[in-house]
Amino acid sequence: MNIIICIKQVPDTADVKINPETNTLVREGVQSIINPFDMYAIEEGLRLKEQFNGKATVVTMGPPQAESALREAISMGIDEAVLICDRAFAGADTLATSYTLAAAIKKLGDFSIILCGKQASDGDTAQVGPGISTHLDIPQVTYVKRIESIKNGVAVVERMTEEGYDIVETPLPCLLTVVKEINEPRTPSLKGKMRAKSAKIQLLSAQMLDCEAARLGLKGSPTQVVKIFSPERRKGGEVYQGPVEESVEKIAAVIKSLIP
């Protein structure tokens, strides 16, 4: 069984800063960590590797310094690591990011399961995992809290919901996004740390991927951030009475007036 785990290096939550001119995250000089939710994906990938005697590969897209996140994953027991790095990927939104990751996964070859954290702590969109599955045209299950079984080419998982959980069957290959309830990430061993220092990281550039240049980075990102601001708390309010349709129209008009 080949398991692929997609991770992201994010700013430490206590150090998140926004560039007021570009409305993008300031990453230079800011301590970075593996996205906390991705740590659970790494651990689950390692458990599947051990259970099925498989291979676990971790993949990330980011600048050269993202290599440190890959080495941390290797220290936990990951077999191989891939860094997707190129200036052409800069400014990518979730659509362009998922497209690029999917192209890299295709290049890596056969796989049984792709694991992702449910969302990234810096964006909180939860869109990249589902986006990857869409580009690869494979089934997905989000918010997975437990993998019950994998046999005969079918995975049975528990999917967390607001009311409890669903039991879902999905054929392989598939993509799963996991929640923190699924496991407890292990601590890297000394042997693992030593191996991570000398491990070879596979580098993939834009030219090495079979993809359309127009769909990469900023060019391939339809999402535009116009302004970032902290919500203001206002006292008081207004109650709309009358037919629901009229009230909805009034509320929608108020919301539109607040958008910069």
Side-chain angles (χ1 to χ4, degrees), residues 13-105:
T13 52
D15 294 325
V16 172
K17 299 177 183 177
I18 303 295
N19 184 322
E21 296 182 359
T22 62
N23 291 322
T24 58
L25 289 173
V26 176
R27 299 184 183 275
E28 294 76 12
V30 178
Q31 182 178 357
S32 296
I33 59 173
I34 294 178
N35 175 47
F37 289 111
D38 295 344
M39 294 295 287
Y40 300 99
I42 293 173
E43 174 62 29
E44 198 62 23
L46 291 173
R47 295 188 182 192
L48 291 175
K49 166 196 167 183
E50 294 163 356
Q51 180 180 353
F52 295 98
N53 192 28
K55 183 178 76 171
T57 303
V58 69
V59 178
T60 192
M61 185 180 86
Q65 56 263 36
E67 181 179 311
S68 62
L70 296 175
R71 294 195 182 279
E72 182 178 350
I74 292 174
S75 72
M76 295 173 66
I78 291 295
D79 297 305
E80 297 180 0
V82 179
L83 175 60
I84 308 167
C85 183
D86 196 304
R87 289 186 178 276
F89 304 140
D93 65 0
T94 55
L95 179 63
T97 297
S98 60
Y99 173 74
T100 306
L101 286 168
I105 291 171

Side-chain angles (χ1 to χ4, degrees), residues 149-165:
S149 66
I150 299 177
K151 57 184 178 181
N152 300 323
V154 176
V156 180
V157 303
E158 292 184 10
R159 179 181 184 274
M160 181 177 288
T161 67
E162 292 183 357
E163 295 78 20
Y165 64 89

